[in-house]
Amino acid sequence: MLELVDLGHNYGSYRAIDRVNLKVAQGEVVCIVGPSGCGKSTLLRSIAGLIKPTGGTVLLDGKPVDGSPENLAVVFQDYSRSLYPWMSALANVGLPLRRRGLDKKKRDAAAMNALEQVGLAGAAAKFPWEMSGGMQQRVSIARALAYQPKLLLMDEPFGSVDAQTREELEDLTLRVCAHHGMTILLITHDVDESVYVGDRVVVLSKAPGTVVGDLPVQLPGPRDQIHTRELDAFVRLRAEVGRLVRGITPQRNTHGNTHGYGYGVETR
Amino acid sequence: MPKLNGAGLLRGLIGTAGLLVVLEAAGRLGAWDTERLPLVSTVLLRAGELLADPEFLVSAWSSLTTWALALALTIAIAVPAGLLLGMVRPAEVAVRPLIEFLRPIPSVALIPLVILMFSETTNMRITVAVYAALWPVLVNTIYGVRDVDPLAKETLRSFGFGPASVAYRVVLPGAAPFIATGIRLAASVAIVLVVTSELIAGGIEGIGVFITIAASGNRLDLMIGATILVGLFGILVNALLVAGENRLFRWHRARTEGAT
Ligand SMILES: Nc1ncnc2c1ncn2[C@@H]1O[C@H](COP(=O)(O)OP(=O)(O)OP(=O)(O)O)[C@@H](O)[C@H]1O
Ligand SMILES: [Mg+2]
């Protein structure tokens, strides 16, 4: 449903991303990992139509993106700035639902439901500035989930919450998205998370970012925070992604590397 | 924004009362000729009496309605113009020189010209007051629009909202605290200009006219009494608007206080 063709972007003379090619199928959860400053947010902004990339194209359902595409939601890295301080949490979550043509009652009900799912039912009447960073982040996740977009873009969405809440939110996101058949592009710098959440992990090089690895995640059975993470396949994949992120190619890692896994890395 | 809490208000009242007592005592002790310049108590008494004086009330009502009309007109012109100029950069660039040229012109200096333009004094007073009150609202609105977080706008855009929705749902509420401050400043400026234009142009009604007539009758007690009432009205309006801002824009104060 989403295709990036030779996508590149310059800020002035600074090249932020370079010839990114990526195809995402309907219903797929794709995680993007890469070092800080490699252009992950830039990539996401290009897809959301918030910046006009200086090179290449973004295709959604085969059509080039021009302006902000329909049926898309973004969870921004700067979640607190993306919430409206003059609105309660409930109103913040309900606002985009105006696009769905729901009346106020239905909007409030849907917003309340989403807040309940992220564990904030009790804070619905609070204003963003009365909330902790982690709570604000959950409100912005609730807002995106309540909207039920076809394509959900998330930029480091679980960065400000404790480990256990983070796991709950990962599972919640996967559950809700599977239920509504959403496609997700999730940016993270957490290698573990990318392997756990993703159907696929795409690794970007350091700046200017370009795809250096595209690994399918094949893990048996439904994901489970404890079991999945102790599977051999999970541990191997995690190491592989970790190496790619650090820019260690399989050939080079024979010296100075104590892991010594002997398997091929699928790069393109 | 200066916050008037209970203790601050009390101190201010004590200071004012103290000054009045000192002036009263000085007058009674013969510091000046109280036949010419009346005692504080006389003036305050006269101010109180004026509130029940039909002649004064007609004048006050005329000034009040003129002021209210001028302020409404100011808001109706300056807020949409400010929103437009704040959001459309090229438009702002195009009119900036004009604004920079017109803004420093003291509107009092325009009164003679405006008198020639209008035979009717209400329109004349409104024009002068609007001219002066326009700038704080316009400039504050432009500034407020600029201050709206770009990410707040992008968020709504990413959900597929169009430019008009973004303007109405994000830019306007985001800029509202600044617009309100501009309106509060404009309210004071408009009071000054309405009364000033009445003083200069004369006419048949308005507090300025009342003061002029009192002056020609050598009634300093009435002059000062009426002036004090205008001042009190200004303080009242300002206090009401500040209270309204504090109530409506709690989120803005919370944010700016959190940031500093
Ligand atoms: N608006 C901008 N103007 C100029 N340069 C920018 C702008 N936005 C980002 N950059 C630069 O582009 C590069 C990539 O930024 P981007 O935010 O996409 O990185 P990122 O991969 O999301 O980083 P992080 O993991 O820290 O969030 C950075 O070097 C940054 O300084
Ligand atoms: Mg980023």
Side-chain angles (χ1 to χ4, degrees), chain A residues 11 14 16 35-42 77 156:
Chain A
Y11 292 109
Y14 180 79
S36 184
C38 75
K40 302 183 294 294
S41 298
T42 303
Q77 187 171 14
E156 302 192 12

Side-chain angles (χ1 to χ4, degrees), chain A residues 45 49-50 68-69 72-74 76 78 81-82 84-86 95-96 98-99 127 129-130 143-144 147, chain B residues 148-162 169-171 173-174 250-252 254-255:
Chain A
R45 288 174 162 274
L50 295 172
S68 273
L72 170 116
V74 183
F76 288 94
D78 250 333
R81 283 174 50 214
S82 88
Y84 302 111
W86 55 87
L95 177 61
R98 286 176 178 276
R99 295 275 303 156
F127 287 85
W129 41 272
E130 297 173 319
R143 177 169 64 185
Y147 189 65
Chain B
V148 173
D149 196 320
L151 192 65
K153 291 186 266 183
E154 286 179 345
T155 302
L156 213 58
R157 261 172 60 202
S158 71
F159 280 110
F161 287 79
R169 300 197 183 283
V170 179
V171 178
R250 225 153 42 95
W251 61 268
H252 187 250
R255 204 176 55 147

Side-chain angles (χ1 to χ4, degrees), chain B residues 14-47:
Chain B
I14 290 173
T16 313
L19 180 66
L20 292 180
V21 167
V22 168
L23 286 176
E24 174 76 13
R28 281 184 190 271
L29 290 173
W32 64 80
D33 177 6
T34 51
E35 287 297 308
R36 292 190 49 110
L37 186 62
L39 285 172
V40 170
S41 53
T42 317
V43 169
L44 290 181
L45 189 68
R46 213 58 83 226

